Amino acid sequence: MKLYNKILILTITQLLAIFIFGIYQIQTLYLTQQKAFDHKTLIQTEMVQTRFEEMLQNLQKSAKILMNSQEVTTGIISNDTDLLFNWGKLFLSSPSDKIHFMNLKGTVISRGEAEYSFGDDVSKTFYFQQVLHNDTFLGIDIIDNQECLVFASRIKQYGKKPIGIICVAIAIDQALLNKMVEGTNMSITYHSAYQDISTTHSQKLFNTSTLHVSLQTLGVQEATFHIGLTSEEELSALKETRTNFLLSIALAFVLLFIALHIVLLKHLKDYENLTHLLIDFYEDHISIKEVITRTQKVIFDHTAPEVKKIAEALFKMSQKIADTQDELEALSTTDQLTSLANRRKLEECLNQKLKEANRGVHFSIIMLDIDRFKTINDTYGHEIGDHVLLHLSHTMYHAMRVSDIVGRWGGEEFLLILPETSLQGAIILAEGLCAKIAELHFEHYPQSVTISLGVATYHEDDTSNTILNRADTALYKAKNSGRNRVEYED
Amino acid sequence: MKIKIIVLLLIWLCSTIIAQDKLVFGVNPYRNPEELRELYSELITYLEKSLNKEIVFVISKDYDHLVSLIENGSVDIASVSPKLFATLRHNVPNTHYLATLEMINENGQKESSYQGLIVTRADSSIVTLHDLRGKRFGFTDVSSTSGYVYPRFLMKQQGVDPLHDLSQTYMLKKHTKVLQALLEKSIDAGAVASGAYYNLSTEEQNKIRILATTEEIPLDVMIASSKLNPAFVDQIQQLLMHFSSHQTKNDAIVGFTQKPLTLYDRLNTLE
């Protein structure tokens, strides 16, 4: 796996772990908050429910106190509107409250909330009929054209004889609903056949529950109270925060990934280039020279100090290898005594010239041998023999053209490869060389030395063996013809 | 329950005041408390200054209540309705008669008597007292002279029995309340003192039709509790007889006069 991938996967794994932990924390927090929110809503719903029940209890309590008052009994018996009004007024706690005293015929004797309004007949009302049959009524009915929570009961003299009816009521209106949800975040709606009212402009409530209405009977059909939240603003804010967190984390993850990718690419690119350079060298795709050139380029480029140091080290190492390679190359292709090309080198060059000749570049070769060299060794020793070889090689090398290749074929035999030279040109060159050697004076050898030369030129479909054989045959012929002469192929 | 507490508190207050040498002045609740306080304020100031005593003004919860307060000595002096005085004289013979009120009538004249009225709405189909049969009627109090005794007497004279012929009767205590209830159509007819009627605006008076007018009724009476020192009672009586106001407002108390007590005793004979 690439270093880039390794670092990327390792880093991304850690980031993922951190982000997943963060997401888990956010989700846990959200769930805790949601639970607290639901709990708060439940408490507030119960609070409203309790208020409603207390209101019903207060209705009944007020009515019972009034029913048991001697003054009220007296007032009912004597149709004392003023007395009943004063008593009723005392027990009114809100503008929307109503306290009515009626006789058994259903004629209103007094209204606690309206001093001058009495004398009308309510005997046909639902609540009044219910009281006549059931003694009491707790429910919802229309009182003075207003829908009300009503408690009505018979008033009895001495606790036995019915003398009148009391009705204590609270108008179901906007003010009542507002009072029920005062100090809470809740909203309440009331729906009946007569009206639809709500503490909020919108009828839509969240987390809605129905108010438990413990009424004996409903005078109004299908009257329901619904409690709920006006809006889920608080929860929505929480949800939004969670979403924002998650989006931020996702965005941060993507940005970090991109940033990581860019940083890794930038910083690992030079390492990767160096690595590829080494791999290419190892796989023989590039030479050590190219390694040197490219590492040199890395050194001069704007790179990180560490990369620069590695590149410098690599550059020096490559240079050493190149030097060693050159030395080895030289050693493997140079004759140790004469410093001319050795037989291996000559074979390589010959094969190269043969390939070039196939593309039309003509060449010739000269095979030469020192005449009676064994006698020199035997007479003057190997050191003098080597001296003669060295001196002769030196002369040959300087006598040849720059493009010509001169090498020691073995012992006292030499091969000359002459690029772009015809047979005739090669013969002339050979004869010149033959003459020059014959005139040559040695420092430590008192006699002159002659050489025999065989010349051959390239023929179509030649191999190294065929051309060498022809040169060798010519050399043999020169030897047999008296030495110190040039012979050429037929 | 609350009213009971208030009454007990009132009695305790009265007892305390007596102990502190204060004088308690009681009145019937025939008008709103504010109106009553305004009506008697000049007289009370005059008495306080003359007697050098603080006077506590109390309004009884109803007519009978004032009787019981006078009887048990919780109230020292009181202004009571003629009928109530007649009843008191019958039940508590040693009740001190001090003087009869003089007030400004609707014509701006000082007088010591008034009339009771039986009224209905101007747009009503009731034209005579006979038409009251089967109708809803508003009285003030059974102890009220113009608000109950005389109207009842007038009806009976016309052959209308309030107990059986009226469909419903209501006790409204205040004369003004009878008129308001009538205008709001809570009752079909009612009985009031003439002063209350003439206190209405002309527009409101035009909405009301007078069905019957009673004979002259002596005005309310100032009385003193039998538990007061007779010399002190005489002193108060003298002060009342010297009281004179320059008010010109209708129904204002401007002075006192002495009337033959037989005028009041007659009220006990009206049936």
Side-chain angles (χ1 to χ4, degrees):
Chain A
M1 190 183 282
K2 283 183 176 180
L3 182 62
Y4 164 83
N5 291 337
K6 276 184 182 175
I7 295 174
L8 194 68
I9 288 169
L10 187 67
T11 315
I12 292 296
T13 307
Q14 288 181 24
L15 278 176
L16 264 176
I18 292 166
F19 287 150
I20 287 168
F21 181 71
I23 290 167
Y24 170 75
Q25 287 290 321
I26 291 164
Q27 184 63 15
T28 307
L29 185 68
Y30 171 75
L31 290 174
T32 309
Q33 288 295 316
Q34 193 182 35
K35 205 173 169 184
F37 179 79
D38 290 341
H39 186 61
K40 185 179 157 190
T41 306
L42 185 67
I43 287 174
Q44 292 192 346
T45 305
E46 284 174 359
M47 191 192 291
V48 175
Q49 178 75 46
T50 306
R51 280 181 187 172
F52 183 78
E53 283 163 9
E54 278 176 359
M55 193 168 61
L56 288 179
Q57 284 169 8
N58 286 339
L59 275 186
Q60 296 175 66
K61 209 160 110 183
S62 299
K64 281 171 185 169
I65 291 169
L66 286 167
M67 283 157 60
N68 295 322
S69 157
Q70 183 56 46
E71 279 82 358
V72 168
T73 307
T74 307
I76 294 278
I77 292 168
S78 61
N79 281 346
D80 194 331
T81 302
D82 186 66
L83 179 65
L84 293 174
F85 164 74
N86 286 329
W87 273 82
K89 195 170 66 174
L90 280 175
F91 284 81
L92 289 173
S93 57
S94 160
S96 57
D97 285 5
K98 298 175 190 297
I99 296 181
H100 296 179
F101 299 95
M102 283 80 64
N103 62 20
L104 292 173
K105 290 178 184 172
T107 305
V108 177
I109 302 170
S110 177
R111 281 181 167 82
E113 75 281 5
E115 190 172 4
Y116 308 118
S117 177
F118 55 91
D120 49 318
D121 182 16
V122 294
S123 60
K124 299 288 185 287
T125 57
F126 180 77
Y127 77 89
F128 191 84
Q129 293 294 325
Q130 289 291 313
V131 174
L132 285 185
H133 286 101
N134 304 324
D135 211 40
T136 59
F137 170 83
L138 179 64
I140 297 173
D141 201 7
I142 305 294
I143 308 278
D144 291 347
N145 298 320
Q146 268 192 308
E147 218 174 338
C148 297
L149 284 165
V150 184
F151 175 74
S153 179
R154 279 200 277 199
I155 301 171
K156 295 174 183 172
Q157 191 178 23
Y158 311 121
K160 288 182 181 175
K161 184 186 170 190
I163 55 168
I165 287 169
I166 183 172
C167 161
V168 183
I170 297 175
I172 302 172
D173 56 11
Q174 189 74 42
L176 176 73
L177 298 190
N178 287 343
K179 197 174 163 187
M180 280 170 71
V181 294
E182 193 178 9
T184 70
N185 293 333
M186 307 301 291
S187 283
I188 189 164
T189 61
Y190 175 73
H191 170 74
S192 74
Y194 296 90
Q195 60 175 345
D196 284 307
I197 46 174
S198 172
T199 52
T200 173
H201 295 302
S202 164
Q203 288 284 327
K204 191 183 176 188
L205 298 178
F206 302 90
N207 288 4
T208 313
S209 60
T210 306
L211 191 74
H212 176 63
V213 183
S214 56
L215 302 174
Q216 287 174 352
T217 177
L218 291 173
V220 173
Q221 294 293 314
E222 293 178 3
T224 49
F225 290 89
H226 288 289
I227 317 168
L229 291 164
T230 312
S231 73
E232 286 190 313
E233 204 173 303
E234 208 175 327
L235 196 60
S236 298
L238 200 62
K239 276 182 184 169
E240 198 180 338
T241 308
R242 182 183 64 163
T243 310
N244 287 342
F245 261 117
L246 293 178
L247 283 175
S248 303
I249 283 177
L251 188 65
F253 185 77
V254 171
L255 288 175
L256 277 172
F257 181 81
I258 293 168
L260 192 65
H261 171 75
I262 292 168
V263 169
L264 281 179
L265 273 187
K266 191 185 173 199
H267 288 277
L268 290 182
K269 194 178 173 185
D270 294 330
Y271 291 101
E272 198 179 15
N273 285 342
L274 288 175
T275 310
H276 280 157
L277 193 66
L278 291 174
I279 291 167
D280 286 347
F281 176 68
Y282 171 73
E283 290 176 352
D284 271 344
H285 294 141
I286 55 168
S287 65
I288 194 71
K289 302 285 181 194
E290 201 169 345
V291 173
I292 290 168
T293 311
R294 281 163 62 175
T295 46
Q296 206 170 13
K297 188 173 179 297
V298 172
I299 292 165
F300 289 112
D301 282 348
H302 297 289
T303 52
E306 307 86 46
V307 179
K308 207 165 187 170
K309 279 196 183 293
I310 294 170
E312 279 171 359
L314 198 60
F315 174 74
K316 284 177 184 172
M317 202 166 70
S318 302
Q319 268 190 329
K320 277 187 182 176
I321 291 169
D323 291 346
T324 309
Q325 232 178 22
D326 287 346
E327 278 177 30
L328 286 172
E329 179 70 21
L331 282 172
S332 66
T333 58
T334 308
D335 179 67
Q336 208 171 354
L337 177 65
T338 63
S339 298
L340 294 177
N342 63 11
R343 183 167 179 156
R344 184 168 158 267
K345 177 69 178 176
L346 287 169
E347 282 172 350
E348 271 179 23
C349 287
L350 185 60
N351 286 329
Q352 181 63 31
K353 293 301 165 191
L354 283 169
K355 284 178 191 169
E356 289 172 6
N358 286 334
R359 296 197 295 271
V361 183
H362 200 73
F363 76 96
S364 297
I365 62 169
I366 300 170
M367 181 76 82
L368 70 87
D369 186 73
I370 302 170
D371 296 334
R372 303 184 197 284
F373 184 71
K374 192 174 178 300
T375 311
I376 296 170
N377 274 339
D378 292 344
T379 310
Y380 293 95
H382 285 286
E383 279 187 13
I384 297 300
D386 289 347
H387 169 72
V388 170
L389 278 175
L390 188 66
H391 198 68
L392 200 136
S393 300
H394 187 72
T395 303
M396 273 196 296
Y397 183 78
H398 285 97
M400 299 308 291
R401 297 169 303 186
V402 176
S403 58
D404 296 341
I405 297 152
V406 183
R408 187 180 176 192
W409 189 248
E412 64 275 14
E413 268 188 352
F414 294 87
L415 180 69
L416 282 72
I417 301 168
L418 312 171
E420 296 181 24
T421 308
S422 63
L423 179 65
Q424 198 58 44
I427 292 168
I428 293 167
L429 200 71
E431 284 175 346
L433 185 62
C434 183
K436 198 167 188 174
I437 296 297
E439 292 169 3
L440 190 65
H441 295 282
F442 299 93
E443 198 176 339
H444 301 293
Y445 183 64
Q447 295 178 28
S448 59
V449 173
T450 61
I451 55 172
S452 297
L453 301 96
V455 181
T457 193
Y458 172 75
H459 294 172
E460 201 174 341
D461 298 329
D462 250 347
T463 64
S464 59
N465 283 336
T466 56
I467 194 169
L468 281 172
N469 281 339
R470 287 204 303 278
D472 197 45
T473 304
L475 175 62
Y476 185 71
K477 190 177 170 185
K479 288 275 186 191
N480 288 339
S481 301
R483 296 185 176 85
N484 193 22
R485 58 182 290 129
V486 176
E487 286 297 334
Y488 55 91
E489 63 179 19
D490 294 333
Chain B
M1 186 60 73
K2 283 183 181 176
I3 287 181
K4 275 184 180 174
I5 293 167
I6 291 166
V7 170
L8 287 171
L9 199 65
L10 192 67
I11 293 166
W12 172 80
L13 188 66
C14 292
S15 313
T16 311
I17 288 163
I18 290 164
Q20 290 176 351
D21 205 21
K22 290 177 181 176
L23 206 62
V24 181
F25 189 145
V27 292
N28 288 133
Y30 64 99
R31 289 190 186 183
N32 291 326
E34 295 75 25
E35 288 175 349
L36 289 171
R37 281 180 200 286
E38 192 187 339
L39 185 65
Y40 286 94
S41 65
E42 190 181 357
L43 174 65
I44 287 168
T45 308
Y46 166 74
L47 289 174
E48 274 184 330
K49 204 172 175 182
S50 306
L51 294 169
N52 196 26
K53 275 181 184 289
E54 188 184 338
I55 293 177
V56 179
F57 185 72
V58 294
I59 303 164
S60 64
K61 72 182 171 73
D62 57 33
Y63 284 56
D64 290 338
H65 182 225
L66 185 59
V67 173
S68 60
L69 289 175
I70 294 165
E71 281 175 355
N72 66 25
S74 298
V75 167
D76 299 312
I77 54 174
S79 169
V80 298
S81 70
K83 168 62 182 169
L84 197 60
F85 176 58
T87 309
L88 261 173
R89 267 180 57 77
H90 185 262
N91 297 337
V92 191
N94 55 355
T95 303
H96 297 294
Y97 168 79
L98 295 173
T100 299
L101 270 67
E102 283 185 330
M103 299 176 95
I104 299 293
N105 68 11
E106 64 279 8
N107 299 318
Q109 303 295 313
K110 185 195 285 187
E111 65 177 16
S112 58
S113 61
Y114 69 109
Q115 289 174 306
L117 305 174
I118 295 176
V119 291
T120 186
R121 284 187 304 280
D123 59 359
S124 165
S125 60
I126 302 167
V127 180
T128 66
L129 292 184
H130 295 282
D131 297 333
L132 290 174
R133 288 193 178 91
K135 297 292 190 288
R136 299 168 301 172
F137 197 90
F139 293 110
T140 52
D141 191 284
V142 288
S143 296
S144 171
T145 318
S146 58
Y148 184 79
V149 179
Y150 264 108
R152 182 166 165 267
F153 175 67
L154 281 179
M155 278 192 258
K156 280 192 171 179
Q157 276 185 326
Q158 295 294 318
V160 179
D161 183 359
L163 277 179
H164 301 103
D165 294 339
L166 297 173
S167 69
Q168 193 72 39
T169 58
Y170 301 96
M171 295 300 161
L172 300 171
K173 293 291 184 304
K174 299 166 186 69
H175 296 265
T176 50
K177 193 167 174 175
V178 172
L179 291 168
Q180 287 303 322
L182 181 69
L183 290 171
E184 292 199 15
K185 301 182 180 176
S186 292
I187 52 175
D188 300 311
V192 291
S194 55
Y197 169 77
Y198 291 114
N199 272 341
L200 291 175
S201 65
T202 311
E203 189 187 353
E204 285 175 320
Q205 284 182 22
N206 290 337
K207 289 179 183 173
I208 291 170
R209 177 189 299 148
I210 298 170
L211 289 174
T213 307
T214 67
E215 59 186 79
E216 290 286 320
I217 307 167
L219 271 172
D220 285 6
V221 174
M222 287 293 292
I223 58 167
S225 168
S226 58
K227 298 191 176 177
L228 282 185
N229 185 322
F232 184 57
V233 172
D234 284 345
Q235 187 189 355
I236 296 169
Q237 191 175 38
Q238 290 303 314
L239 287 170
L240 289 176
M241 291 310 293
H242 286 95
F243 174 75
S244 176
S245 171
H246 298 292
Q247 288 193 73
T248 55
K249 200 170 73 176
N250 188 24
D251 250 7
I253 299 168
V254 289
F256 290 89
T257 186
Q258 295 289 322
K259 292 256 184 196
L261 297 184
T262 49
L263 277 177
Y264 296 100
D265 291 337
R266 183 177 179 275
L267 296 174
N268 282 331
T269 62
L270 293 176
E271 281 300 330

